[in-house]
Amino acid sequence: MAISKLAGALVASSAAAALIVGLTAEAQPRQQVTGPTAVYWASAKTVAGFGAGASGRPSMMGMMMGGGGGNNAPLGYLTLQLGSTRTAPSPSADHAPPPGLRVGRLLPLTSPEPTPRPQRAPDQMPDQSQQPQGKIMIFWGCGEHAGPGQPITLDFARMTPEQAAGVMAQSLRNVTFTRENPPSPTRFATYGEWPNSRSRDNKVPMGGSLVGDHLVRGNYTPDIRFSLTPEQDMLARIQMTQNAKNPSGSAGLAWRPVGRSLAYFVTLMGGQEGRGGQGSTAVMWTSSNVQMLGWAMPEYLAPGDIPRLLQQGVLLPPTTTACTIPQEVLRAAPQAMFTTIAYGPETNIAYPPRPANVATPWNIEYQVKVRTRSEYMGMLGVDMGGMGGNSDADDDGDDRQQPTPAPRPRGPFGIPIPGM
């Protein structure tokens, strides 16, 4: 009986303590947060295979018809975007990178001139030559055979582009992404970027590294200082160890693990050309276990999305090093380009650091975001080492890339990408 009373007293006292803690927490004032004055994003991509030596994305169909991607040695590509609430009569800013990046002493962050949108007369009809033709076949999932319900086929002889876009939007209802909003001229009083009209080449030489001290200085921004460690550097390049069509009719892709990769994603696009566009078939496939359109995947993923997308089966775990493309995909697309993507970590820095005492206001001067990604683009079943590209078997180098940002592309046949 005494033990029972003691237990009851302990329970009561614990409940009272929890209530006191809860009331105390509610009574704590919220920290006053102001700023930031400036926001700075550095997006770093490593690219190997086709297009590694090209500024921006190469033409996929051009490469499938025999055109190369230029110098295919692995490279890094860097995009820098600075937004500030301050203004200046003649905006000027520069990024002083660490010497190990090997891109020069200063990277000019130019503020672009506003460009008016082209106007169309009210009585001017849209260009009918861009009307989609043919079909799109959509597959998904690694394995010897495509799963049930595949493919989904969009036949433009029987539906309008708007109807096709609606079907694709419906297919993405269970796959959502956090929209990331980098600095832009419309979001900030003053904006600067690199590459730009003064410096269009955003290549980072093989072996270039973000590790070290960075300084961004200008007449419309506070001095932005940050330092990156090897754990925050650009990702190594993807090295394919297998790219072959199997006797069964499927195809096998395999790659070496990419250090610090959080997840992988593989896409494929191919098809068969019809006369004058009539009867042409585009084939889309992704490694996702969930019905997914490859071009709808953002170039960079918010870190909070990656665990959820891994759980959904949209992304391949970082331990994955191989994927089989189903036989049905290859029968529909005898020639195809594939892209293997490794999503890397993201670094976020705020200055000054948040005060531990919530009663102290937090006046943020600047925020820095560094995003990383690596990709390999190749032709299915073709050895890149034999086409003037980089050999995947004899190079253990640590290489890097990212193209110049461009307006979000449309999907195949000019169909707007749903929700993007």
Side-chain angles (χ1 to χ4, degrees), residues 59-352:
S59 166
M60 182 176 293
M61 292 306 297
M63 291 186 296
M64 289 176 64
M65 296 304 292
N71 173 18
N72 293 319
L75 286 173
Y77 284 77
L78 185 64
T79 298
L80 306 175
Q81 297 167 288
L82 170 64
S84 175
T85 59
R86 298 178 182 174
T87 59
S90 299
S92 174
D94 296 287
H95 181 141
L101 193 58
R102 300 169 58 191
V103 293
R105 189 175 65 87
L106 290 177
L107 304 177
L109 303 171
T110 300
S111 299
E113 295 291 334
T115 54
R117 292 184 178 182
Q119 298 294 320
R120 182 171 64 87
D123 58 347
Q124 181 181 351
M125 296 297 293
D127 184 2
Q128 297 300 316
S129 65
Q130 299 301 314
Q131 189 75 4
Q133 303 288 335
K135 301 178 181 179
I136 296 181
M137 300 175 68
I138 302 170
F139 296 87
W140 60 94
C142 298
E144 190 67 26
H145 291 282
Q150 301 188 42
I152 292 177
T153 301
L154 307 179
D155 188 344
F156 295 103
R158 302 182 180 182
M159 60 176 63
T160 65
E162 291 74 19
Q163 289 173 327
V167 172
M168 289 184 285
Q170 181 70 12
S171 73
L172 289 173
R173 65 188 183 278
N174 293 324
V175 182
T176 59
F177 308 99
T178 300
R179 186 184 296 273
E180 293 199 302
N181 294 311
S184 68
T186 58
R187 294 187 58 227
F188 287 90
T190 311
Y191 170 77
E193 64 184 8
W194 184 85
N196 47 57
S197 58
R198 290 172 53 192
S199 178
R200 297 185 182 279
D201 189 353
N202 60 339
K203 299 187 187 77
V204 176
M206 183 171 60
S209 171
L210 290 169
V211 173
D213 296 329
H214 297 252
L215 170 62
V216 178
R217 176 171 286 171
N219 61 4
Y220 62 91
T221 176
D223 286 359
I224 299 175
R225 300 177 184 271
F226 61 99
S227 183
L228 299 177
T229 70
E231 291 300 308
Q232 298 165 313
D233 200 4
M234 302 172 75
L235 291 184
R237 74 179 179 99
I238 293 178
Q239 298 182 65
M240 301 299 298
T241 59
Q242 181 184 4
N243 170 20
K245 297 182 180 180
N246 300 322
S248 64
S250 63
L253 297 178
W255 55 90
R256 294 179 183 176
V258 176
R260 295 183 290 116
S261 173
L262 304 178
Y264 295 102
F265 186 70
V266 187
T267 66
L268 174 144
M269 181 176 178
Q272 302 180 42
E273 192 72 21
R275 291 186 177 180
Q278 298 293 334
S280 299
T281 300
V283 177
M284 313 291 296
W285 168 89
T286 73
S287 58
S288 170
N289 286 331
V290 179
Q291 183 178 327
M292 173 69 194
L293 298 172
W295 73 74
M297 180 70 78
E299 189 170 22
Y300 293 89
L301 290 173
D305 284 357
I306 292 179
R308 173 175 54 81
L309 295 172
L310 283 167
Q311 186 175 24
Q312 286 181 290
V314 175
L315 297 176
L316 299 173
T319 54
T320 305
T321 57
C323 174
T324 299
I325 301 176
Q327 299 176 19
E328 293 82 359
V329 176
L330 270 67
R331 283 200 293 268
Q335 286 188 313
M337 296 292 301
F338 72 91
T339 303
T340 303
I341 302 165
Y343 289 100
E346 180 178 290
T347 298
N348 290 281
I349 301 168
Y351 182 85

